[in-house]
Amino acid sequence: QVQVAESGGGLVQAGGSLRLSCTTPGLDFENYDIAWFRRVPGKERVAISCINWNSGRGRTVHYAPSVEGRFTISRDDAKNIAFLQMNNLKPEDTAIYYCAADFGQACTNAWSSEALYDYWGQGTQVTVSS
């Protein structure tokens, strides 16, 4: 069974928008922190954003400085889906985007550490033309 699956990538012009979706068919979605990472060929995979599960300790979200103000992460536990809304896209946003999930407290701890996330999607390609 696939644990994590993301979709919504595509080709857009600079200044355009895309919305990525993440589901966790192999996991109990509402109990997992969700994060988005991206990787440019030849470079390391980098954390972009995360959102914690509804633990009662409050809502936590994080954004990398490179996407702050342009990207918005959200989740809908009733529908078992998370989103990454990407606005004002730039050519440097071109990358493979990955959804990751963690049963622990990754988003409220060292959120950008890849090692904290136990479950990963296969990635969806986002290409932004100038």
Side-chain angles (χ1 to χ4, degrees), residues 35-55:
W36 290 95
F37 288 70
R38 68 186 183 188
R39 185 182 67 83
V40 175
K43 297 184 179 296
E44 67 179 7
R45 189 156 57 183
V46 177
I48 299 302
S49 185
C50 74
I51 186 167
N52 68 320
W53 73 294
N54 189 21
S55 66

Side-chain angles (χ1 to χ4, degrees), residues 25 29 31 44 51 54 70 88 94 96 102 105-106 110-111 113:
F29 178 87
N31 294 321
E44 67 179 7
I51 186 167
N54 189 21
R70 298 188 299 121
N88 192 25
T94 295
I96 300 174
D102 177 57
Q105 301 178 3
W111 75 272
S113 297

Side-chain angles (χ1 to χ4, degrees), residues 3-21:
Q3 304 291 288
V4 179
E6 62 275 271
S7 62
L11 174 63
V12 298
Q13 295 180 209
S17 298
L18 284 173
R19 187 179 71 166
L20 306 184
S21 299

